[in-house]
Amino acid sequence: MSLQFLADGLFAGALIGLGAVGLTLTYSILRFSNFTHGDFISWGAYLALGTVGALTGWIGPAARFMPFSFGWPLIVGGLLAMALTGLLALLLDAALFKPLRRTGHGIVMVIASFGASLALRAMLEFLFTSEPAYFSRAIQIAIPVGLGIRVTPDQAAMMGLALVVVIAMHLLLTRTHIGRSMRAVSENPALARVVGIDVAAVIRATWLIGGALACVSGIMLGLTVQIRPQMGFDLLLPLFAAAILGGIGSVWGAIIGGLIVGVAEAGAVQLIGSEYRSAVAFVLLIAMLLVRPRGLFGVREG
Amino acid sequence: MTGVPALVAHGIEAGYEPGLPIVKGASVTVGRGEIVVLLGPNGAGKSTLMKAIAGLVPIARGTVTLAGAEITQTAAHRMVRLGLAFVPQTENVFTTMSVEENLVLAGHVAPASVRAARLAAMLELFPDLARQRGLAAGRLSGGQRQMLAVARALMIEPHVLMLDEPSAGLSPKLVRDVFAKLVEIRASGVTILMVEQNARAALAIADRAYILADGRNRHEGSAAALAADPDIAEHYLGLGGADASVVGRSAP
Ligand SMILES: Nc1ncnc2c1ncn2[C@@H]1O[C@H](COP(=O)(O)OP(=O)(O)OP(=O)(O)O)[C@@H](O)[C@H]1O
Ligand SMILES: [Mg+2]
């Protein structure tokens, strides 16, 4: 049996993991399951498509970094798109979630986010149609790395990026004031206020960071498959599975959960066929909730 | 008590749901440099009054002033910047963070130039915490946790320190330790308002006391006078001596 599924699974898993990091942060600080997170991923990809298009339209086509399929416009455009996706999340919070937070219960927020998710997806379809779009049509040659595994240069770059992002998130949460404040609000919002933390500011930071991370996974997804309006929504189940597997609130847990889900999905595709792919995340999710609801690295009941 | 009092709560009406006051017009005044204790039966509304002053429970009526400036509707997170520190009765440390992180987080409101010195000062004042600085606060003993909560509050060098049952769940020896620390802290110029069930031990270090029942002031007076009043002793102080330290409840 070929070990290729390992490489494909780890790549998909890194992408799922990055999305799950944002999801786990918003969940632990805002205390509701945010269904729009998948749509932030789609919006992130489209926003990057837009910023890259605008940059190349403005300055002209740029050479790509061989052997990768992309050049500096994707880097600069990606950073811009991360900021824009963060702003989109902030905007949605100000318009929808903030008013509900005052009165609403968790379930009201979940349902509101479900509605917002439909609306965000419909807007993408309206703006960009459901025709697939691409960052680049350049064909990537997969390079053999041993054991019969082949990896494209883009995949390798994205894995590296995912690692950098997770380490950055880890440092943010453990070494900076805003990161410690986020952990404080997630554990005990009342005590956080008592020690002088402006909870509203922490919530804004959380949306910004969650949106930006969703954008990164959107770009990763866009580089490997086609960009379509429902691509992020389709990822929702694996995202939740990864976040719960790793333990709500745990950044490393979300990434490791993502890798487990990614590899399990790829393995299942190879062993029993692609029809069962989406069942894998579901089975993992349910199994974890039954066996260990707080997840691998969680501190609280999920 | 001379000059402008450090903290005045006047005619406070506060509760968790609109139209359902728990504190029904209570008043407390704390002079500069005083230790004042708030006594009263379980459910009297002592914690609710403390939380209302700290900005965690909405105040429907009444005013709170800190050194003469009104702070009634000030958001809780701004209180520490005004020099008012609060140690809640339960869940008063971040259990998933280390001892040091708890202190660093609280010290952030201070100017960057003094933070390191404050942390060092706290670790010196509480040697137990210095030994455990890397440990998650959730793994401290009840007494150490209470010390951490107090140290955390002191990181802002407050003018007024409010403590809700700092001795709850502690052994008699630790109760004495905590109260000795509080006397030390007051000597450094901090004004203290605290709720206590260890009434006799608290009265022994306090200047004045208030007794709250059903959300209202019931008695007030100098700590010595209240401790000596047989009627009050029978109803509110328990019958034991200062060191019997009848601790009614276990740690949270
Ligand atoms: N978070 C809350 N939500 C709703 N009601 C509450 C809440 N906390 C306390 N109460 C109610 O307010 C009343 C007073 O509680 P409070 O905690 O202020 O009393 P206390 O005097 O501090 O008592 P104790 O000595 O037991 O600590 C109680 O009847 C309690 O049920
Ligand atoms: Mg109480």
Side-chain angles (χ1 to χ4, degrees):
Chain A
M1 130 177 200
S2 157
L3 290 176
Q4 183 60 36
F5 81 93
L6 264 183
D8 295 342
L10 286 175
F11 178 76
L15 179 164
I16 292 168
L18 279 187
V21 169
L23 190 68
T24 212
L25 281 181
T26 47
Y27 187 103
S28 65
I29 286 167
L30 299 148
R31 288 160 201 252
F32 75 100
S33 303
N34 175 26
F35 281 101
T36 63
H37 203 78
D39 303 287
F40 292 159
I41 290 178
S42 313
W43 270 85
Y46 277 100
L47 285 168
L49 202 63
T51 51
V52 170
L55 281 170
T56 46
W58 181 34
I59 307 182
R64 54 195 182 105
F65 301 144
M66 297 307 276
F68 305 110
S69 73
F70 55 86
W72 64 263
L74 186 70
I75 314 247
V76 179
L79 287 171
L80 275 173
M82 282 169 72
L84 289 173
T85 314
L87 286 178
L88 173 72
L90 260 186
L91 210 71
L92 187 69
D93 183 62
L96 182 66
F97 297 129
K98 198 173 171 194
L100 288 176
R101 246 193 321 272
R102 264 180 230 126
T103 52
H105 301 279
I107 191 67
V108 177
M109 305 276 280
V110 173
I111 291 167
S113 84
F114 204 80
S117 162
L118 291 170
L120 283 174
R121 219 171 333 145
M123 273 161 80
L124 278 182
E125 279 171 10
F126 177 75
L127 290 169
F128 298 95
T129 77
S130 8
E131 287 298 304
Y134 301 88
F135 279 120
S136 156
R137 289 179 187 272
I139 305 291
Q140 286 258 297
I141 313 278
I143 299 160
V145 291
L147 298 171
I149 300 173
R150 294 166 161 273
V151 177
T152 68
D154 278 9
Q155 281 179 328
M158 292 294 129
M159 290 294 283
L161 175 66
L163 190 65
V164 169
V165 170
V166 179
I167 291 172
M169 280 307 302
H170 176 77
L171 292 178
L172 179 94
L173 287 172
T174 53
R175 305 285 161 85
T176 70
H177 180 64
I178 185 66
R180 276 192 284 262
S181 301
M182 287 168 72
R183 284 161 59 209
V185 173
S186 115
E187 183 187 323
N188 187 340
L191 186 61
R193 291 161 67 200
V194 167
V195 306
I197 293 168
D198 181 354
V199 173
V202 168
I203 288 177
R204 287 194 295 274
T206 306
W207 282 119
L208 271 175
I209 293 169
L213 291 178
C215 177
V216 176
S217 43
I219 295 173
M220 284 177 76
L221 195 57
L223 277 173
T224 39
V225 298
Q226 330 155 319
I227 302 172
R228 286 171 309 126
Q230 72 273 28
M231 70 182 204
F233 183 80
D234 292 345
L235 213 56
L236 217 42
L237 188 56
L239 289 185
F240 275 105
I244 286 168
L245 214 55
I248 288 296
S250 164
V251 167
W252 289 106
I255 280 289
I256 289 166
L259 294 176
I260 293 173
V261 171
V263 170
E265 281 191 348
V269 167
Q270 181 157 351
L271 286 175
I272 49 181
S274 56
E275 315 82 58
Y276 295 100
R277 176 180 204 121
S278 43
V280 172
F282 185 70
V283 168
L284 282 173
L285 176 75
I286 298 297
M288 200 63 188
L289 285 175
L290 288 174
V291 175
R292 193 178 152 92
R294 69 191 164 100
L296 295 172
F297 304 95
V299 286
R300 280 197 306 258
E301 297 298 295
Chain B
M1 204 164 92
T2 53
V4 180
L7 180 73
V8 181
H10 182 75
I12 300 298
E13 204 175 292
Y16 301 91
E17 281 156 58
L20 261 180
I22 303 285
V23 176
K24 302 158 184 164
S27 299
V28 170
T29 300
V30 191
R32 284 182 63 179
E34 275 192 318
I35 295 182
V36 169
V37 310
L38 210 54
L39 307 170
N42 293 131
K46 305 178 300 290
S47 294
T48 306
L49 176 59
M50 296 287 265
K51 285 188 267 184
I53 294 172
L56 291 173
V57 168
I59 294 178
R61 227 174 250 144
T63 52
V64 182
T65 53
L66 186 68
E70 181 166 348
I71 56 164
T72 312
Q73 301 296 341
T74 304
H77 72 270
R78 297 197 196 287
M79 295 286 188
V80 289
R81 289 176 175 79
L82 302 173
L84 181 78
F86 176 44
V87 177
Q89 181 173 359
T90 54
E91 296 177 7
N92 50 20
V93 298
F94 293 108
T95 55
T96 54
M97 293 190 193
S98 73
V99 167
E100 186 169 338
E101 280 182 310
N102 268 277
L103 296 176
V104 168
L105 185 65
H108 191 80
V109 293
S113 54
V114 304
R115 286 177 203 155
R118 294 240 180 121
L119 178 63
M122 277 314 126
L123 294 176
E124 199 185 309
L125 185 63
F126 297 98
D128 258 25
L129 297 182
R131 276 189 294 277
Q132 317 260 29
R133 62 196 285 176
L135 196 71
R139 302 180 61 185
L140 293 174
S141 76
Q144 293 167 337
R145 198 189 279 218
Q146 211 57 261
M147 294 290 188
L148 175 59
V150 173
R152 188 224 81 216
L154 291 176
M155 281 298 286
I156 66 161
E157 290 198 346
H159 304 306
V160 177
L161 174 60
M162 299 205 307
L163 304 145
D164 195 348
E165 301 204 25
S167 77
L170 304 188
S171 70
K173 151 115 181 47
L174 278 174
V175 173
R176 280 195 299 274
D177 286 357
V178 169
F179 283 9
K181 280 283 189 248
L182 293 181
V183 171
E184 234 176 277
I185 289 162
R186 186 261 291 270
S188 72
V190 180
T191 301
I192 296 177
L193 170 63
M194 64 178 184
V195 171
E196 258 306 331
Q197 294 286 345
N198 272 324
R200 287 195 177 277
L203 287 176
I205 64 162
D207 299 299
R208 291 186 310 110
Y210 290 84
I211 296 177
L212 216 67
D214 191 26
R216 294 184 181 89
N217 290 40
R218 187 56 55 88
H219 299 279
E220 61 182 272
S222 77
L226 286 181
D229 186 326
D231 212 39
I232 285 175
E234 192 192 337
H235 281 100
Y236 300 108
L237 308 186
L239 297 169
D243 280 338
S245 298
V246 195
V247 180
R249 272 161 295 159
S250 52

